Amino acid sequence: MYFSKTDYLAIGLAIVLVVAFFALRGSSIFSGDVSARYSEMPSMVVNLRSQNDVRETGTASFYDGKGRVKVILNLEDIPTDGAQPAYIKEGTCDHIGVNKYTLIFPKGGTSETILQVSIDDILNSLPLAVNVYKSIPELNVAAACGEITQ
């Protein structure tokens, strides 16, 4: 069977679109996420408080998964319909540092991320804070932040 150059380009584009679709919607198909692998109750919940007069609040719930952690962000009073950059950063909300882990950017106030680290790895790296930004264009404006504690 012979494929033309156009056929190969179409197949390649289709593969890229499928991968992008799952990546943008926060799917964890690539990490082998199965709900039964995670605790039913969160191992810890971080309360996110408003930053820079944005008035956004919420929670980051951490679920233990035997060497993996599922992080679910639930935000209220969101300032945008678009995606909001979200990270676990070194430091505290008052003295925020560099990105330690990138979370799936919440859209519409929610996201779910699978981190390939354990709860112990996170706790052994303290101080850390969950930081959510106002929007992609306003990446310099923190909207909500919460410190991870033991």
Side-chain angles (χ1 to χ4, degrees), residues 3-140:
F3 289 107
S4 70
K5 186 176 181 179
T6 305
D7 293 334
Y8 282 113
L9 289 173
I11 292 168
L13 179 61
I15 291 169
V16 167
L17 290 174
V18 168
V19 170
F21 170 77
F22 285 108
L24 289 174
R25 69 183 277 266
S27 173
S28 53
I29 63 166
F30 302 110
S31 64
D33 178 27
V34 177
S35 295
R37 292 185 182 172
Y38 297 92
S39 58
E40 289 185 30
M41 299 297 294
S43 300
M44 64 181 161
V45 176
V46 175
N47 290 314
L48 305 175
R49 63 183 193 275
S50 174
Q51 301 284 296
N52 298 310
D53 298 319
V54 177
R55 290 185 280 174
E56 181 172 20
T57 59
T59 59
S61 300
F62 290 73
Y63 294 83
D64 186 20
K66 296 181 183 173
R68 297 181 187 169
V69 175
K70 178 169 42 176
V71 182
I72 298 178
L73 293 178
N74 286 301
L75 305 168
E76 298 174 8
D77 300 320
I78 56 174
T80 181
D81 288 333
Q84 292 183 264
Y87 304 93
I88 295 176
K89 294 186 155 257
E90 293 180 357
T92 64
C93 293
D94 292 332
H95 296 91
I96 206 73
V98 297
N99 297 345
K100 181 82 171 173
Y101 305 107
T102 301
L103 302 175
I104 298 294
F105 295 179
K107 189 169 182 184
T110 61
S111 74
E112 181 177 309
T113 305
I114 304 300
L115 298 176
Q116 301 297 323
V117 297
S118 69
I119 288 282
D120 288 338
D121 291 336
I122 291 172
L123 294 175
N124 289 332
S125 298
L126 296 179
L128 296 172
V130 177
N131 203 14
V132 179
Y133 290 91
K134 189 172 181 181
S135 65
I136 292 173
E138 295 179 277
L139 189 54
N140 61 333

